[in-house]
Amino acid sequence: MTTNTHMLSGSILRWLGVITLPFFLMLSFLWAGGWLTPYRLTQAAMLDALQKGSGMHPGFRRNHAKGVCVAGWFEGNGSASSLSMATVLQKGRVPVVGRFALAGGLPYQADAPEKVRSMALRLMPSDRQEWRMGINDIPVFPVGTPQEFHDLQLASHPDLTTGKPDPARMQAFRTSHPWLQPAMAQIGRRPVSSGFADDTYRSLDSFLFVAEDGTKTAVRWAMVPVQPVMPEIGHANDHDYLFRKVIEDIHTHPLQWRLMVTLAGSGDAIDNPSKGWSQDDRQINAGTLTLTGIGSEENGPCTGITFDPLVLPEGIMPSGDPILQARSAAYMRSFYLRSGERPTAPAVSAEMTVPSANARDKKS
Amino acid sequence: MKNVKSFTLPSRILHWVMAVMILAMLLIGVFMASTVGSGYYRLVALHRSVGIAILVLAMLRLGNRLHTPPPSLPEDLPPVMKIGAHASHILLYVLMIVLPLVGWGMLSAGGYPIPLWGQSVLLPPILPHDPVLWAELRSVHTLLAFLLFGLVLAHVAAALFHGLIRRDGVLRSMLLRERLDPISQESHGD
Ligand code: HEM
Ligand code: HEM
């Protein structure tokens, strides 16, 4: 390095040298954080779209906001243990914390038959290889990508004056997404059961089971009720009839579901939850879920966690389904926001979940 | 050439390896925390492992720093700049250790399992499960990461200021080409 004569232009160049690298670092940081690309779908945009449909309800989940905590256990029977080395799928019992909920961001919405119901589970084996899931009672998901989910939220959010979705906006979404027609039709004509207890909940997204020798199998699964399925009978006058019913049910007797794992056939779409799978696929009964306890979300064990579908044990992996990635990101963001807020009392209150005298009698 | 002694080879290696890791972590961090795209799961996994690696290296580095003091700054450096340099270096060390601990701690408080690498090795929780604490620490993680990024920018600008404007040998003392050091002579490329 020689000492240059201190010419003015030389010194300007040197100062440029000093700021260029920090400047480009700043640019890359801004780009990486999405601040230079407003068209990129972000976690914030996804949560805004959800909030648009429901308004702001501090402390509540940004989706599936109305719910109740449940507890029990899962007993694996070992039938799926050749496909997945997950400890929860071996023979044996693991404790479970779960949540029943209605889809949508309104924590005080009225129960109604056609509203989507969900079950969320956290299976907790002693080796800490947890399996969390959030599963819905529809046959397929209405959309196949995070962008479509975002756009559907914007198209379907209720109008402030009428309280109903704007049919024109919904129609525009349908015509611009003709490939989602079959999924929406399938959801529209699904059979509806009488309540949470006799409902079937499905993973919709696909996952990979990983065997001891590394073999991967694409699967979906469902929780299929052991309780007999009853047809829906209206309850127009009870705002919380679905929750009241499941509280009464669990206080009277344990509720059970079979974990039915479906193995992907050759023609099945792995990476698109809006596409149903063939009826001929092989199914395995992998174990039984038993729920024996129920309690309000208020300080309940299902409130301070999120049922992130990508909290998976060794032996289960995410598939290439893009919805799964968006869910994991959005659930963490929702969990972060709501945990920093002070919630109002939930619709399903602590008084509602104490056993009624009636249920106590039946149980003993 | 002014006579500023060079950092030892282990110090320089630690410095540059960690520089790359920390910059990558900051960029990965803001990218993954905004995306809903298909790289999310893998990036978060990478972020956790590299973050813990930074924690381990930062502690090694702190030990190394206390063991072998760095070359002193040029005598003629104005006192404000000296104070600024020392304060920012202390803060950099603090953040290299505290930021990954906050990351680990927040996931503990959030009740998340914390895989270290793949799915089989889990880190133990370092804080009790407490959702309010989780939300607070998640905010603190962002705040400290942004502070770290600001410091990194200032640090890079200051290094270039030493190298290009003052030309006082301070930048050279951290580059991998110091004449006085026979070890780096071998890997000396230009
Ligand atoms: C990109 C698509 C989706 C987005 C952005 C999304 C978003 C959300 C959010 C923000 C929450 C609240 C999480 C929390 O605060 O803990 C939630 C809850 C839930 N979601 Fe999704 N979701 C998506 C797709 C799905 C799918 C495909 C399913 C079903 C297979 C599903 C089932 C559930 C269930 C069951 C819950 C409630 C979990 C609980 O009771 O805590 N979601 N969703
Ligand atoms: C020096 C080490 C680290 C740096 C520089 C760093 C940096 C960052 C940055 C810049 C963000 C984005 C913040 C935002 O935009 O809100 C972030 C988020 C995050 N970090 Fe770190 N981090 C470090 C260590 C860790 C560690 C050790 C863990 C966990 C073990 C961790 C877990 C996370 C998580 C879970 C998020 C949030 C992801 C999301 O919101 O989707 N970080 N980090």
Side-chain angles (χ1 to χ4, degrees), chain B residues 112-131:
Chain B
Y112 280 95
I114 312 166
L116 177 58
W117 188 254
Q119 288 165 290
S120 52
V121 186
L122 296 177
L123 287 173
I126 52 170
L127 286 175
H129 181 195
D130 175 350

Side-chain angles (χ1 to χ4, degrees), chain B residues 69-131:
Chain B
S72 49
L73 287 167
E75 305 259 296
D76 61 341
L77 194 67
V80 241
M81 289 203 182
K82 276 192 181 160
I83 295 173
H86 286 138
S88 66
H89 293 166
I90 293 174
L91 204 50
L92 281 170
Y93 271 93
V94 169
L95 288 177
M96 283 187 294
I97 293 174
V98 171
L99 190 52
L101 282 176
V102 169
W104 183 357
M106 78 192 186
L107 291 177
S108 311
Y112 280 95
I114 312 166
L116 177 58
W117 188 254
Q119 288 165 290
S120 52
V121 186
L122 296 177
L123 287 173
I126 52 170
L127 286 175
H129 181 195
D130 175 350

